[in-house]
Amino acid sequence: MRATLIYGAGDIRVENVPDPRIQDPTDAVVRVVRSCVCGSDLWPYGSRPATEEGERIGHEFLGVVEETGPEVTAPKAGDLVVAPFAYADNTCRFCAEGLHTSCPRGGYWGQNGVDGGQGEAVRSPWAQGTLVKLPVGEDSALLPSLLTLSDVFCTGHHCAVTAGVDARTTVTVIGDGAVGLSAVLAARRLGAERILLMGRHETRTALGRDFGATDVIPERGDEGVARVRELTGGEGTHTVLECVGTKPALTTALAVVRDGGVVSRVGVPQYEEGPAGYEMFSRNVTLTGGVAPARAYIEELLPDVLDGTIEPGRVFDRTVGLDGVPDGYRAMADREALKVLIAP
């Protein structure tokens, strides 16, 4: 089969690789129907050291189950499933608490001999605990939105949930990428009526307004902070959803949060140290967030996608086949595309 590999910064290739097969009795083989490029994929795309051997990449996909191991009773062959970006057994104490990303038997696609999602097929470890059956066919118009349950919309939702967003809270979202826009949609779904979106790309912020943003702040740094403070009577917002992952984004988040408020960060941190000293302590600011346990949220969010209450799949603005994946990475890195959908 064919799959995507990364060899180094800017070096994405689609090559022939061995077909996946059942290795453990808890495995399933899934034929990929839709996948995509994640914003977090752009970090290694921009900085990974060159290597002679490529590494599989991709962690968001929908597919049809082709074969299952003897211990898998569901899903069954022929079922369309969504795969959260981290696989897990869904039986351990961490999974029972909704923290599937800490499952001791779990892991991530494209690592430790497990297939990446940007290919024609994937071997899924712990298939019964990981894969969620979808009640639609593989030709459904809902596939883009259903694919967001693999990662990006669940990540935006996790950001809003851990921040405590509800009808009583004001919200600032930092970042107009796919995760930031998903966080806007998630905050609106949870009842927030005032949502400030910090972003400067007009096509993206226009979608953010459609998703529920009430104000757009294109300024950055001190000017952006001043604008948020101006719009909130000098106080800042109860919650801040940091969806970028850079130190300046975290610094801005702490500057625009209201005293006693919550900053939730889900952007993959590109720093080792951050501003979490006395000022944050004295203002009673809570810092939360982290890796989204997408598997814990899928059943909750699925009905709203199926009935059209939310359309998170609108974050996809370009579709490519496998041959187009390298250019899809380039387009996202160059800000020509918001999020690239892959139809193998």
Side-chain angles (χ1 to χ4, degrees):
M1 72 166 194
R2 301 168 71 228
T4 303
L5 294 90
I6 182 169
Y7 280 81
D11 190 356
I12 296 287
R13 309 179 197 178
V14 178
E15 299 181 341
N16 291 320
V17 299
D19 291 342
R21 59 180 180 82
I22 300 295
Q23 298 181 18
D24 297 306
T26 52
D27 287 350
V29 173
V30 179
R31 172 174 55 84
V32 176
V33 173
R34 295 290 187 276
S35 183
C36 58
V37 180
C38 181
S40 64
D41 293 331
L42 298 183
W43 294 119
Y45 181 73
S47 62
R48 186 183 189 274
T51 55
E52 291 187 6
E53 294 187 4
E55 183 177 54
R56 300 287 291 278
I57 193 168
H59 53 260
E60 302 164 274
F61 64 93
L62 305 176
V64 175
V65 176
E66 299 279 275
E67 182 183 3
T68 61
E71 293 185 14
V72 179
T73 59
K76 299 182 182 298
D79 288 345
L80 181 70
V81 295
V82 57
F85 68 87
Y87 59 85
D89 62 20
N90 206 25
T91 61
C92 75
R93 293 176 66 178
F94 286 103
C95 290
E97 295 171 5
L99 196 61
H100 296 73
T101 48
S102 292
C103 176
R105 295 194 285 189
Y108 295 93
W109 309 107
Q111 299 180 13
N112 301 317
V114 176
D115 299 310
Q118 294 169 11
E120 293 181 322
V122 172
R123 176 182 71 88
S124 170
W126 302 108
Q128 188 154 324
T130 299
L131 305 175
V132 178
K133 181 181 177 180
L134 299 172
V136 299
E138 61 181 282
D139 59 347
S140 171
L142 294 174
L143 292 191
S145 286
L146 293 168
L147 178 57
T148 68
L149 300 181
S150 182
D151 183 350
V152 66
F153 185 62
C154 286
T155 294
H157 177 70
H158 180 65
C159 198
V161 167
T162 54
V165 172
D166 60 24
R168 298 171 299 171
T169 55
T170 51
V171 182
T172 297
V173 175
I174 299 178
D176 58 9
V179 173
L181 297 179
S182 295
V184 170
L185 183 60
R188 187 68 188 91
R189 178 181 174 276
L190 291 171
E193 295 185 359
R194 185 84 186 274
I195 303 171
L196 284 63
L197 173 60
M198 301 191 76
R200 57 172 53 185
H201 302 90
E202 292 184 2
T203 57
R204 300 182 180 192
T205 57
L207 179 56
R209 287 190 182 276
D210 285 351
F211 278 177
T214 54
D215 303 88
V216 171
I217 296 92
E219 298 88 352
R220 293 183 180 179
D222 292 342
E223 291 183 359
V225 171
R227 181 62 175 152
V228 172
R229 292 283 176 176
E230 177 187 351
L231 290 170
T232 58
E235 292 186 349
T237 55
H238 298 94
T239 61
V240 180
L241 312 185
E242 195 277 282
C243 302
V244 179
T246 62
K247 192 171 180 178
L250 179 60
T251 300
T252 296
L254 293 172
V256 301
V257 70
R258 184 177 183 269
D259 284 13
V262 181
V263 172
S264 178
R265 58 175 188 161
V266 294
V268 179
Q270 302 303 303
Y271 52 88
E272 294 297 328
E273 297 180 354
Y278 179 77
E279 182 182 1
M280 177 178 162
F281 172 81
S282 67
R283 296 173 56 214
N284 284 290
V285 172
T286 297
L287 180 63
T288 185
V291 182
R295 180 64 183 84
Y297 297 128
I298 292 175
E299 282 93 350
E300 173 189 351
L301 300 173
L302 181 58
D304 282 358
V305 173
L306 292 173
D307 68 14
T309 299
I310 55 175
E311 295 182 77
R314 293 178 64 191
V315 297
F316 295 108
D317 59 349
R318 183 174 299 194
T319 300
V320 299
L322 276 180
D323 289 336
V325 171
D327 191 59
Y329 271 82
R330 182 207 57 77
M332 284 182 61
D334 292 345
R335 301 294 181 92
E336 292 178 7
L338 170 60
K339 190 168 178 67
V340 172
L341 183 73
I342 302 168

